[in-house]
Amino acid sequence: LEDLIADEQVAVTVSHQGYLKRTPISIYRQQRRGGTGRMGMKTREEDFVAQLIVDSTHAYLLCFTNAGRVYWLKVYEIPDVGAAGKGKSMQSLLNLQAGENVRAILPVRDLEEEGKYVFFATRNGTVKKTPLKDFSNVMARGIIAIGIDKEDELVRARITDGSQIVFLATRLGMAIRFDEADVRSMGRPAYGVRGIDLGKNDYVVGVAITPKEHEPGAYRILSVSENGFGKRTDVEEYRLQTRGGKGVKNMAVTDRIGKVTTIQLVDETSELMVISQFGKTNRADTKPIRAAGRATQGVRLLNLDDDDAIAAAVVIPPDELNGKEDEQGTLLQ
């Protein structure tokens, strides 16, 4: 079947509520810079595009779930429903088990590629990295990607080259930044090692991966609290530590600010979509959000009712594609 399918670049859009569709890249390339763009995906009123993947129809999408399992999807298996179509739900495309939901979708063209790893982080602060080639044995029913305790769950998965810098942030406003080399490579069933030493009632809410060498100020951590506050902080403000430590203060958590909901890695061009539990949304550039130190409270991103709270904050892909592939992708919340 694969030999009959043209090997072409397509855009795969993933909505916040888990709908996938693909569109030929040529549709997006017909406008000049400064155009009004075109609709890339029709979504329900409370839904929005949370991830954009540009890759070949023959590439794989590795779909990692909260239970630590991985499922494979060929890009050509995702329906091509036209530029304004809604797409198909993840539940109908993958043979998920009861209670499973997808936490990360990573595009991969060559599952046998050497020097590539999948890096995992769990809610209870465990981290693990596994060679990408360990996931080359494709099975429709999915396989275990990381061993996870019953009271734990996978938070994020990222593709790395084995020598990057890992950033973990917690709900109670702590964070740790350490060298990926501190985590030795392990097989699929392994449970991993301690990434951060969590305090009482604390858990990991987000992960960011940055290159070891980069321009100062190129990457900032955007932290968002449940009461609608956010702040940007240069990654360099978090000193490098050894994995497994308690970390340093990331955000001042108070009754007014609320606890940290999520963190995102942003640059000067990033746009953020914030959505509350009652469906209130706000889309805004991250650049105007004041760059602040580690232990600060941040500024208000969204005005919320007293009993409302932030449900998710996602760095959204640009409306017009430029053909560049974002290897790590913007992760689903």
Side-chain angles (χ1 to χ4, degrees), residues 171-323:
R171 179 170 168 76
L172 296 183
M174 299 300 288
I176 191 168
R177 187 168 169 253
F178 60 87
D179 196 318
E180 186 190 343
D182 291 353
V183 183
R184 63 181 176 82
S185 178
M186 302 176 209
R188 285 191 301 99
Y191 280 67
V193 295
R194 188 187 298 278
I196 185 170
D197 185 6
L198 295 169
K200 190 177 180 183
N201 299 324
D202 204 4
Y203 56 85
V204 173
V205 295
V207 182
I209 306 285
T210 61
K212 219 173 252 187
E213 305 294 331
H214 58 80
E215 292 288 322
Y219 296 103
R220 290 192 168 102
I221 299 295
L222 175 64
S223 303
V224 181
S225 78
E226 60 190 358
N227 290 350
F229 288 81
K231 72 175 185 75
R232 293 186 305 152
T233 307
D234 283 359
V235 292
E236 288 85 4
E237 290 207 24
Y238 304 86
R239 71 178 189 274
L240 272 180
Q241 297 177 267
T242 308
R243 68 153 184 88
K246 291 185 182 294
V248 295
K249 196 83 171 170
N250 171 43
M251 191 174 191
V253 171
T254 64
D255 289 342
R256 186 176 80 97
I257 299 298
K259 298 179 173 59
V260 180
T261 298
T262 184
I263 62 114
Q264 296 287 345
L265 188 66
V266 298
D267 59 25
E268 293 297 295
T269 64
S270 301
E271 270 193 286
L272 187 74
M273 176 73 86
V274 182
I275 184 166
S276 79
Q277 291 173 356
F278 291 175
K280 187 183 273 191
T281 62
N282 182 35
R283 175 175 175 167
D285 286 334
T286 60
K287 192 173 181 179
I289 300 170
R290 192 182 72 242
R294 284 192 294 103
T296 52
Q297 296 183 355
V299 296
R300 188 176 290 280
L301 302 178
L302 187 63
N303 285 308
L304 298 173
D305 298 330
D306 289 343
D307 49 353
D308 201 1
I310 296 293
V314 182
V315 172
I316 53 178
D319 288 330
E320 291 187 80
L321 304 182
N322 57 11

Side-chain angles (χ1 to χ4, degrees), residues 125-145:
T126 298
V127 295
K128 190 185 100 164
K129 74 176 179 187
T130 300
L132 177 62
K133 60 186 179 184
D134 284 14
F135 301 99
S136 58
N137 187 18
V138 180
M139 294 186 188
R141 59 182 169 80
I143 58 172
I144 292 171

Side-chain angles (χ1 to χ4, degrees), residues 10-85:
V10 294
V12 175
T13 45
V14 186
S15 86
H16 176 67
Q17 294 191 348
Y19 286 87
L20 284 84
K21 55 160 278 193
R22 66 181 164 94
T23 312
I25 200 85
S26 55
I27 284 181
Y28 292 92
R29 283 185 172 163
Q30 292 165 358
Q31 294 194 357
R32 292 182 180 277
R33 180 183 63 76
T36 56
R38 59 178 295 146
M39 183 171 286
M41 184 181 207
K42 187 162 181 66
T43 58
R44 298 182 180 188
E45 214 169 283
E46 67 277 11
D47 205 3
F48 56 89
V49 176
Q51 185 173 359
L52 175 70
I53 297 163
V54 180
D55 217 319
S56 160
T57 45
H58 289 217
Y60 286 96
L61 298 183
L62 297 183
C63 303
F64 295 92
T65 72
N66 58 321
R69 295 175 66 82
V70 60
Y71 296 83
W72 293 264
L73 197 57
K74 269 292 177 94
V75 169
Y76 64 71
E77 294 173 332
I78 298 168
D80 182 351
V81 292

Side-chain angles (χ1 to χ4, degrees), residues 63-71 95-104 120-123 128 141-156 188-191:
C63 303
F64 295 92
T65 72
N66 58 321
R69 295 175 66 82
V70 60
Y71 296 83
N95 189 22
L96 297 177
Q97 298 182 358
E100 275 192 308
N101 56 73
V102 174
R103 290 295 170 87
F120 303 93
T122 77
R123 177 185 166 100
K128 190 185 100 164
R141 59 182 169 80
I143 58 172
I144 292 171
I146 175 176
I148 290 186
D149 294 323
K150 272 189 177 177
E151 65 277 8
D152 200 2
E153 63 178 10
L154 183 68
V155 174
R156 298 286 183 267
R188 285 191 301 99
Y191 280 67

